Amino acid sequence: MQYRFSEMFLRTLRDNPADAEVASHSLLIRAGYLRRAAAGGYTWLPLGLMVLNKVTAVIREEMNRAGFQEVHFPALLPREPYEATNRWTEYGPALFRLQDRRGADYLLAPTHEEMFTLLVKDLYSSYKDLPVSLYQIQTKYRDEARPRAGLLRGREFVMKDSYSFDVDDAGLITSYQKHRAAYQRTFERLNIDYVIVSAQSGAMGGSASEEFLAPAAAGEDTYVVTSGGAANVEAIQIAPAASIDFASLPAATVHDTPDTPTIQSLVEFSNSKPELVGAKPWTAADTLKNVVVRLTHQDGSTSALAIGVPGDREVDMRRLEAQVYPATVTPFGDEDFAKYPTLVKGYIGPGQLGKHASAKIEYLVDPRVAPGTSWITGANKSGSHVFHLVADRDFKPDGVIDVADVRVGDDCVVPAGTVTQLARGIEVGHIFQLGKKYAEALDLKVLNENGEQITVTMGSYGIGVTRAVAVIAEQHHDDKGLRWPRAISPVDVHLVIAGKDESLFTGATELANTLNAAGYSVLIDDRVGVSVGVKFNDAELLGIPTIIVVGKKFVDGVVELRDRFADQAVDVALTEVVGAVQNLK
Ligand code: ATP
Ligand code: MG
């Protein structure tokens, strides 16, 4: 193919769009790949669509290679199947619900477990039919709380979703491993740098699950690495602290600590009073901070939850949301405090917390608040704290909750070992061993060898196709623009005509013909009245990795070959161009 810049439906922009927070978003808009059409919805322009199609093709090839078969469902679906699995309700406000003219309830599918389960039930009835894995490449709809960062979190986006069906756990594990391997191949071919991390299964239900995270500062997920593996912070488990024998610990005493509503002010005050300091100065880690939040449950009811964490830690909202799912979390506001008059803001202590206390607020503590540990904490009176308050001696929490922020050096059970690294990533794929949840809810059974009905076990596997485009842009760009990996660049070669002479135009077209004959598609920047500087800037912005400049030396049969991916430029004789292009990696 040959594309002429002068005729392409393409406008590049000099400035970053006002709403762009991340590089991939601004570059894809500025380079004329995308336009915003709605909140969380984007229009693909010709160059963008070429990239999307290439990414889709790689994913499809790898799915087919693994032996999975492609189908295609509607996105507009009836309520009943999602009612049967309770997801009509459980999906909460993220589900787009609508009605047809007769008043029947429909949804725009956020994911398709129910439909695949019913499809297999419709056609299969024997263990001999299994295993089978089916997939589709489909538009999904989710009314995300915070659509952001362009393609990274849309409300309408393309997903490749697959589902495996097996008769037993061993089969499920085999299907899961096949998908895992297919994903590894896919992301390697897409030039996406990724880590596989243990994950929480969230809205899907089920047990084992792993995410493919693309390391990037723009990512919304945080993962930890230990000697034993890697996990999303939503899924890690901190090693429990050992219980301590409290027989010899001093008794709890209440002290006036005026104007100490923050941990820092409390520590400073405590260290400034000789009568309060023990063998060594107090630190924030000696204090017990009690954070109260409001939970909103599925049925719309609300409740208060108090979380006790060492004062040098914060409650990590992502970890908390993952733990209390499907309930949602809101910080305690003035109107909440008004409902619980015994809570004294800044001085909340275990004395008022727990189901046994008068306020009846559930009280869960960090694993580090183990039996026998001693704390400085709020005395439930303004300007007052209690010292040497010992867990299990002086207060009994209702349970443990592992939601504090994670740090390098923390000991974990999942993933096993000490945390050596914390990093941000973008979730580009997610694989789940669902088990029987959906098959049970929708009664998907087959006959086994003994003629008995057995429930099928399932896996579900997703790749964010449109998100993958953004991830590639996020991982492959510089301050001048995009730098597409060759496998998914919209066009193979960008020919810049650097001059006004007619011979350059005919020469460039001939060169494009030669490149086409060798199998390369070419974009020719044939614009007249556009300066060479602007053409070069646009070439860098567009990010086609192979740029050929047809300019001054063309009379001597020489062009300049630029490798945008490796950031190099060399002069090449016209007769050598095809070979030189072939040699670029
Ligand atoms: P996230 O935690 O980012 O919301 P998720 O856990 O909801 O993702 P899944 O339901 O597992 O995602 O969906 C499979 C894949 O679809 C994800 O791994 C991701 O790549 C992609 N995806 C999910 N939500 C969006 C979205 N709003 N916009 C673009 N891609 C998305
Ligand atoms: Mg989500």
Side-chain angles (χ1 to χ4, degrees):
M1 270 306 280
Q2 266 176 44
Y3 305 93
R4 301 203 160 253
F5 209 126
S6 61
E7 293 163 11
M8 288 251 358
F9 190 65
L10 168 65
R11 283 284 177 280
T12 58
L13 308 176
R14 205 187 290 268
D15 297 316
N16 287 331
D19 63 339
E21 309 157 42
V22 302
S24 57
H25 184 191
S26 32
L27 289 173
L28 288 168
I29 301 272
R30 278 182 53 206
Y33 287 72
L34 279 186
R35 294 300 292 167
R36 181 184 183 279
Y42 289 84
T43 307
W44 292 88
L45 301 183
L47 284 178
L49 198 55
M50 291 178 205
V51 172
L52 178 63
N53 288 340
K54 289 204 174 175
V55 169
T56 309
V58 167
I59 295 171
R60 181 174 276 124
E61 265 174 46
E62 292 304 329
M63 291 295 111
N64 293 344
R65 184 202 303 274
F68 313 149
Q69 298 172 63
E70 186 170 5
V71 299
H72 198 83
F73 281 93
L76 177 65
L77 297 172
R79 169 177 177 162
E80 289 70 27
Y82 287 77
E83 191 64 69
T85 58
N86 197 35
R87 285 212 292 185
W88 174 264
T89 310
E90 200 175 280
Y91 224 95
L95 190 67
F96 277 106
R97 300 172 181 83
L98 64 163
Q99 291 191 328
D100 70 6
R101 65 172 78 205
R102 292 179 192 85
D105 284 325
Y106 279 80
L107 59 95
L108 294 173
T111 173
H112 278 76
E113 278 75 7
E114 286 79 354
M115 302 311 292
F116 276 83
T117 308
L118 289 172
L119 183 67
V120 172
K121 180 179 170 180
D122 191 14
L123 294 176
Y124 278 4
S125 57
S126 159
Y127 73 97
K128 289 183 199 150
D129 298 325
L130 301 182
V132 67
S133 285
L134 303 173
Y135 76 97
Q136 67 174 344
I137 294 171
Q138 238 285 8
T139 304
K140 298 282 196 265
Y141 297 86
R142 294 181 184 182
D143 195 356
E144 297 279 2
R146 288 174 290 275
R148 66 176 281 276
L151 299 175
L152 285 179
R153 183 168 300 283
R155 298 203 298 172
E156 172 172 328
F157 59 95
V158 179
M159 194 200 291
K160 185 290 302 172
D161 47 328
S162 328
Y163 305 83
S164 65
F165 300 84
D166 282 276
V167 288
D168 55 22
D169 289 348
L172 168 58
I173 288 166
T174 305
S175 296
Y176 181 87
Q177 292 301 344
K178 270 186 162 178
H179 275 88
R180 197 175 190 271
Y183 276 32
Q184 287 174 302
R185 284 187 68 106
T186 304
F187 294 130
E188 265 144 40
R189 282 184 63 187
L190 294 177
N191 272 266
I192 291 177
D193 175 28
Y194 67 91
V195 283
I196 301 180
V197 306
S198 308
Q200 272 255 339
S201 20
M204 299 304 166
S207 50
S209 108
E210 289 170 297
E211 286 166 352
F212 289 72
L213 296 186
E220 287 180 80
D221 285 279
T222 304
Y223 64 97
V224 305
V225 181
T226 69
S227 53
N232 193 309
V233 287
E234 292 175 3
I236 70 157
Q237 262 178 45
I238 289 290
S243 302
I244 296 172
D245 178 14
F246 46 72
S248 60
L249 293 178
T253 44
V254 175
H255 291 275
D256 283 342
T257 55
D259 297 324
T260 56
T262 64
I263 296 293
Q264 199 195 340
S265 56
L266 172 62
V267 170
E268 277 167 19
F269 180 89
S270 307
N271 285 329
S272 73
K273 299 283 164 195
E275 67 273 22
L276 295 178
V277 188
K280 58 181 174 61
W282 298 112
T283 70
D286 299 315
T287 69
L288 173 60
K289 172 163 67 185
N290 296 297
V291 179
V292 194
V293 296
R294 177 174 12 119
L295 299 184
T296 307
H297 303 278
Q298 285 283 281
D299 58 5
S301 67
T302 60
S303 63
L305 170 66
I307 300 155
V309 292
D312 63 336
R313 304 260 169 179
E314 301 297 331
V315 171
D316 178 329
M317 280 299 158
R318 291 279 299 221
R319 298 196 69 206
L320 176 58
E321 278 166 2
Q323 292 274 325
V324 301
Y325 180 88
T328 56
V329 182
T330 320
F332 234 50
D334 289 340
E335 70 282 17
D336 296 295
F337 275 106
K339 280 191 215 152
Y340 295 93
T342 54
L343 294 182
V344 184
K345 220 172 163 176
Y347 301 91
I348 300 171
Q352 285 293 335
L353 304 173
K355 287 177 179 158
H356 61 278
S358 56
K360 299 226 169 355
I361 296 173
E362 183 174 21
Y363 184 40
L364 304 176
V365 294
D366 186 80
R368 295 167 192 87
V369 188
T373 52
S374 177
W375 304 93
I376 307 177
T377 189
N380 299 300
K381 202 176 124 208
S382 186
S384 185
H385 280 91
V386 51
F387 287 64
H388 309 294
L389 194 76
V390 172
D392 269 36
R393 182 189 74 180
D394 304 321
F395 68 101
K396 282 209 193 304
D398 297 319
V400 172
I401 190 164
D402 183 7
V403 293
D405 63 285
V406 187
R407 305 205 185 132
V408 168
D410 286 349
D411 286 325
C412 292
V413 179
V414 178
T418 306
V419 175
T420 55
Q421 194 202 343
L422 272 155
R424 285 197 161 270
I426 303 166
E427 181 192 320
V428 66
H430 200 165
I431 53 178
F432 298 90
Q433 290 175 28
L434 283 179
K436 298 184 177 173
K437 174 179 163 166
Y438 291 88
E440 260 157 19
L442 297 163
D443 197 32
L444 169 59
K445 292 193 167 118
V446 291
L447 287 177
N448 72 6
E449 288 150 301
N450 306 321
E452 299 151 349
Q453 293 275 354
I454 54 161
T455 304
V456 168
T457 183
M458 294 170 53
S460 105
Y461 316 88
I463 293 179
V465 181
T466 42
R467 187 181 280 187
V469 173
V471 164
I472 297 165
E474 202 59 44
Q475 289 189 337
H476 302 289
H477 71 268
D478 61 13
D479 51 359
K480 297 174 209 141
L482 297 159
R483 305 197 321 176
W484 295 113
R486 290 198 159 72
I488 62 129
S489 173
V491 178
D492 298 318
V493 179
H494 189 140
L495 266 184
V496 178
I497 301 176
K500 294 189 179 125
D501 203 288
E502 187 56 38
S503 66
L504 298 181
F505 284 74
T506 47
T509 306
E510 275 165 27
L511 182 53
N513 291 340
T514 309
L515 286 163
N516 280 166
Y520 297 104
S521 58
V522 182
L523 169 65
I524 309 177
D525 193 346
D526 61 338
R527 289 175 293 175
V528 289
V530 172
S531 75
V532 175
V534 168
K535 286 185 176 181
F536 284 161
N537 287 346
D538 277 346
E540 282 164 337
L541 181 60
L542 256 52
I544 294 163
T546 307
I547 300 169
I548 296 177
V549 183
V550 179
K552 284 196 199 80
K553 295 182 188 159
F554 189 72
V555 282
D556 306 322
V558 173
V559 294
E560 188 184 62
L561 178 63
R562 296 184 180 180
D563 182 352
R564 175 117 178 83
F565 208 63
D567 221 4
Q568 282 167 355
V570 284
D571 281 348
V572 179
L574 268 174
T575 48
E576 310 288 324
V577 168
V578 170
V581 167
Q582 257 156 8
N583 284 335
L584 295 176
K585 290 281 171 291

